[in-house]
Amino acid sequence: LSGADQSAFGLAATAVTGTSTTRATLQGNYNALLSQIDQLAGDASYNGVNLLAGNNLQVLFNENGTSSLNIAGVNFNSAGLGLSTIAAGGFQSGATITATEAAINSAIGNVRAQTETFGTNSSTIQTRQDFEKNMINTLQTGASNLVLADQNQESANLLTLQTRQQLEVSALSIANQANQSVLKLFP
């Protein structure tokens, strides 16, 4: 915060006599926010994996595990971000405020960088998921085309085969009768 900003929030480091209630309130708010950051990082778990608590995640893209993505977790609780609670009266010192401001800016930079990394990983997973979904749809369509047949066409084919079979049986019967007739000529 610039000097003007610090003055606007009652944080000016010049000639503070006694304690500033505004600074004490801001310090309390800051410490409460750190508690919220810790709770948020602790609650950011999915299926037992919490990337904000340092857990790593391996995403498998095929059934035999030869294609995967490893996502490294980070410790993004308040301590992992380099932020620590301020003891009572700590914000009464301009140096403490300046150091806290630098720590907050550093934490914001770390979160932004990690957001880009998680975003890239998310994009990779989404691309693979879309690919797999399209592959499944293609395979299901192909399987349906193999299994589902035109009933009229299949009925006509069956009737043709049955007619051929009857003709073949009749031809065999006629041929067999002809052989019997020839044998009857020679007693």
Side-chain angles (χ1 to χ4, degrees):
L1 297 173
S2 69
D5 290 335
Q6 288 179 356
S7 295
F9 289 108
L11 299 175
T14 57
V16 174
T17 57
T19 59
S20 167
T21 56
T22 302
R23 287 182 178 206
T25 301
L26 292 173
Q27 178 182 330
N29 292 343
Y30 171 79
N31 288 336
L33 286 174
L34 293 184
S35 175
Q36 290 297 314
I37 289 171
D38 291 340
Q39 290 175 13
L40 178 66
D43 293 341
S45 177
Y46 179 74
N47 283 341
V49 177
N50 187 340
L51 292 172
L52 298 181
N55 300 139
N56 296 327
L57 175 66
Q58 182 180 27
V59 180
L60 300 176
F61 294 126
N62 62 10
E63 65 279 354
N64 58 9
T66 57
S67 179
S68 65
L69 174 66
N70 293 313
I71 302 172
V74 292
N75 288 314
F76 270 6
N77 57 11
S78 60
L81 290 170
L83 305 173
S84 57
T85 57
I86 305 297
F91 268 18
Q92 299 304 321
S93 163
T96 302
I97 293 171
T98 303
T100 303
E101 178 187 4
I104 291 171
N105 288 332
S106 174
I108 289 171
N110 290 338
V111 169
R112 283 184 178 150
Q114 190 59 44
T115 299
E116 292 171 4
T117 302
F118 283 159
T120 300
N121 290 334
S122 175
S123 177
T124 300
I125 291 169
Q126 186 64 46
T127 301
R128 287 301 296 250
Q129 185 178 20
D130 292 344
F131 171 78
E132 295 295 331
K133 205 178 290 184
N134 290 335
M135 174 86 78
I136 288 169
N137 289 339
T138 300
L139 292 174
Q140 284 178 336
T141 301
S144 294
N145 289 342
L146 289 173
V147 173
L148 298 177
D150 180 11
Q151 294 298 321
N152 293 329
Q153 179 68 37
E154 294 306 318
S155 295
N157 289 343
L158 180 61
L159 184 59
T160 301
L161 291 173
Q162 287 174 340
T163 304
R164 280 186 190 163
Q165 182 182 17
Q166 288 174 353
L167 289 173
E168 289 169 0
V169 168
S170 296
L172 282 174
S173 176
I174 291 170
N176 192 23
Q177 286 175 358
N179 286 338
Q180 293 297 325
S181 297
V182 170
L183 287 175
K184 285 184 184 178
L185 294 174
F186 300 106

